[in-house]
Amino acid sequence: MENKTRVKLIEVATELFAVKGFAAVSVRELSVAAQVNVSAISYYFNGKEGLYEAVLTAQLSPILQTLERVQKNDSSSPVARLTLYADQIAHIHAQRPFMSRFIYSEVTNPTEYGAPIIEKHLSQVYQFIDVTLREGIASGYLREDLNVTYAAVSLVGILNFYFIAKPFVSKLFPLTEHTDSDSEYVAHAFRVYLHGVMNPSAT
Amino acid sequence: MENKTRVKLIEVATELFAVKGFAAVSVRELSVAAQVNVSAISYYFNGKEGLYEAVLTAQLSPILQTLERVQKNDSSSPVARLTLYADQIAHIHAQRPFMSRFIYSEVTNPTEYGAPIIEKHLSQVYQFIDVTLREGIASGYLREDLNVTYAAVSLVGILNFYFIAKPFVSKLFPLTEHTDSDSEYVAHAFRVYLHGVMNPSAT
DNA sequence: GTCTATATTGCGATAGAC
DNA sequence: GTCTATCGCAATATAGAC
């Protein structure tokens, strides 16, 4: 059976680290929020940094799984694989509403222990998009004049920016209360993107 | 004449706050890096938070100026105004390489004193894009089925994500050493975006 | 305007009792 | 596995000499 104190700490730390960032959260704040003794953090995770690493790793784990699953679809076209990937992104964000915060936080203000974990994951994402875009150009689906590196950054930007901007945007433009406006956005954004990169002379 | 200590503190604090984030920088670290006495921070800025506010305000100042300038071009078409805006964005980032870090840092992990400053600026940017997209649809340049809110987020995402991802991306894909690959990216990304949102039946 | 010295508070970590 | 108590240190801020 799972340890209650350990699980509660992970749960509370995920939210606090996500919202305030690693440096702005103290072990005392964590222990109070989790209704747990301060020393439990050292006992279970070897200190604040260990707890942060555990949270970060747990948050990023579905990314690599998704990439594997999408790349298994070798038979499908490059465009179909990108579409599947975009679709999966929405599901991951729905399951882990704090994931994007960790990624953006580490990309913007890297911490000593978080940076290597993030780099490992993001490099695989870029690798996948890069390879798939190249295949798309080679097989005539995508424009020949496409700069692949730039187009890869554009795709990641257009797909993920929404999730970090969401709390902010919904303050400005009250978003329609759909059951799933997340995947709706991703579908919309990805359609805009595809229109932009597809070869106009393709069927 | 400008005060040397004050200027040096702003300069050093801009880089340190941008790279490590507000909470992870101490006043001692700042004073050592600026070769200035610790107490100067309280003397000139009323403490660490005052220094942060001063830096943040200085970093964001060109945004509102640019919006004003672009909106002055009332005569030009909505698409031309968006293009001009995208072009200006690249220039601002070139002049202030740390600006995007402050914006992303505050959006991801808002601080008590930074959040209101950021919100004021970003809401005006969204306002501009929203109005301009609506005009573009009304005058037939842009697709009728465009979701304006989503399209606004997509544009900001596609234009700005590159600048925060740059240090990371250039590690993975050594970017071509052009004199100005920044505005090259923005031009490329904006072209992709326009292809996606333009009305295909428009001239 | 700049310095030293210090006041005060909070930090992360742990020894040792239970 | 959980607790209290405390250690050692670094944080921000400031009083007061120069």
Side-chain angles (χ1 to χ4, degrees):
Chain A
M1 140 177 165
E2 280 290 328
N3 186 296
K4 237 185 138 182
T5 301
R6 200 194 146 89
V7 169
K8 186 76 185 164
L9 269 173
I10 289 271
E11 197 182 306
V12 163
T14 300
E15 173 149 10
L16 280 176
F17 282 142
V19 173
K20 305 176 76 174
F22 174 76
V25 179
S26 76
V27 289
R28 288 179 144 84
E29 185 180 1
L30 285 163
S31 70
V32 169
Q35 291 173 290
V36 147
N37 193 278
V38 213
S39 53
I41 293 170
S42 282
Y43 182 77
Y44 284 106
F45 302 99
N46 245 306
K48 184 181 155 183
E49 267 159 2
L51 175 53
Y52 181 69
E53 274 188 47
V55 167
L56 198 58
T57 304
Q59 285 289 306
L60 296 181
S61 63
I63 294 183
L64 297 186
Q65 293 166 25
T66 295
L67 281 182
E68 268 185 50
R69 213 178 315 129
V70 172
Q71 281 170 316
K72 281 271 156 62
N73 276 30
D74 243 358
S75 54
S76 61
S77 78
V79 172
R81 251 173 292 145
L82 287 177
T83 308
L84 179 57
Y85 167 74
D87 188 59
Q88 293 293 317
I89 287 289
H91 283 102
I92 294 180
H93 284 292
Q95 278 164 14
R96 322 228 164 189
F98 295 118
M99 191 189 68
S100 59
R101 298 229 190 193
F102 286 99
I103 297 176
Y104 276 90
S105 187
E106 282 292 340
V107 170
T108 310
N109 308 124
T111 66
E112 194 186 340
Y113 297 89
I117 300 177
I118 294 280
E119 281 179 28
K120 182 187 140 199
H121 284 78
L122 287 198
S123 65
Q124 297 213 230
V125 172
Y126 272 103
Q127 222 59 263
F128 159 71
I129 298 178
D130 189 80
V131 166
T132 311
L133 285 177
R134 281 179 207 285
E135 276 183 48
I137 296 172
S139 54
Y141 290 113
L142 306 182
R143 318 183 142 256
E144 282 178 10
D145 62 339
L146 204 65
N147 179 316
V148 174
T149 300
Y150 290 164
V153 177
S154 293
L155 178 57
V156 174
I158 210 172
L159 285 186
N160 291 281
F161 185 73
Y162 165 78
F163 294 97
I164 201 72
K166 207 166 66 166
F168 183 81
V169 171
S170 50
K171 233 189 268 178
L172 299 181
F173 308 92
L175 290 173
T176 34
E177 275 302 336
H178 282 130
T179 29
D180 194 1
S181 69
D182 284 2
S183 53
E184 200 193 334
Y185 167 80
V186 168
H188 182 279
F190 188 68
R191 218 180 310 130
V192 167
Y193 180 79
L194 266 192
H195 271 115
V197 297
M198 291 253 284
N199 190 336
S201 64
T203 42
Chain B
M1 140 177 166
E2 280 289 330
N3 185 298
K4 237 183 139 183
T5 300
R6 200 194 146 88
V7 169
K8 187 74 186 165
L9 269 173
I10 289 271
E11 197 183 306
V12 163
T14 301
E15 173 149 10
L16 280 176
F17 282 142
V19 173
K20 306 176 77 174
F22 174 76
V25 179
S26 75
V27 289
R28 285 175 144 82
E29 186 179 1
L30 285 163
S31 69
V32 168
Q35 291 173 290
V36 147
N37 193 280
V38 213
S39 54
I41 293 169
S42 281
Y43 182 77
Y44 284 106
F45 302 98
N46 245 308
K48 186 181 153 184
E49 267 158 1
L51 174 54
Y52 182 69
E53 274 188 48
V55 167
L56 198 57
T57 304
Q59 286 290 306
L60 295 181
S61 64
I63 294 183
L64 298 186
Q65 293 166 24
T66 295
L67 281 182
E68 268 186 48
R69 213 177 316 129
V70 172
Q71 281 170 316
K72 281 272 157 62
N73 276 29
D74 243 357
S75 54
S76 61
S77 78
V79 172
R81 249 173 292 146
L82 287 177
T83 308
L84 179 58
Y85 167 73
D87 188 60
Q88 293 294 316
I89 287 288
H91 284 101
I92 294 179
H93 283 293
Q95 279 164 12
R96 323 228 164 188
F98 295 117
M99 191 190 67
S100 59
R101 298 229 189 190
F102 286 100
I103 296 176
Y104 276 90
S105 187
E106 282 291 340
V107 169
T108 310
N109 309 124
T111 66
E112 194 185 340
Y113 297 89
I117 301 176
I118 294 280
E119 281 179 28
K120 182 188 139 199
H121 285 77
L122 288 198
S123 65
Q124 296 212 230
V125 171
Y126 271 103
Q127 223 60 264
F128 159 71
I129 298 177
D130 190 81
V131 166
T132 311
L133 286 177
R134 282 180 207 285
E135 276 184 49
I137 295 171
S139 55
Y141 289 114
L142 306 182
R143 318 181 142 257
E144 281 179 9
D145 63 340
L146 203 65
N147 179 317
V148 175
T149 299
Y150 290 164
V153 176
S154 294
L155 178 57
V156 174
I158 209 172
L159 284 186
N160 290 281
F161 185 73
Y162 165 77
F163 294 97
I164 202 72
K166 208 166 64 166
F168 183 81
V169 171
S170 50
K171 233 190 267 180
L172 300 180
F173 308 91
L175 291 173
T176 35
E177 275 303 336
H178 282 131
T179 30
D180 194 2
S181 69
D182 284 1
S183 53
E184 201 192 335
Y185 168 80
V186 169
H188 182 278
F190 188 68
R191 217 180 312 131
V192 167
Y193 180 80
L194 265 192
H195 271 114
V197 297
M198 291 254 284
N199 189 338
S201 64
T203 40

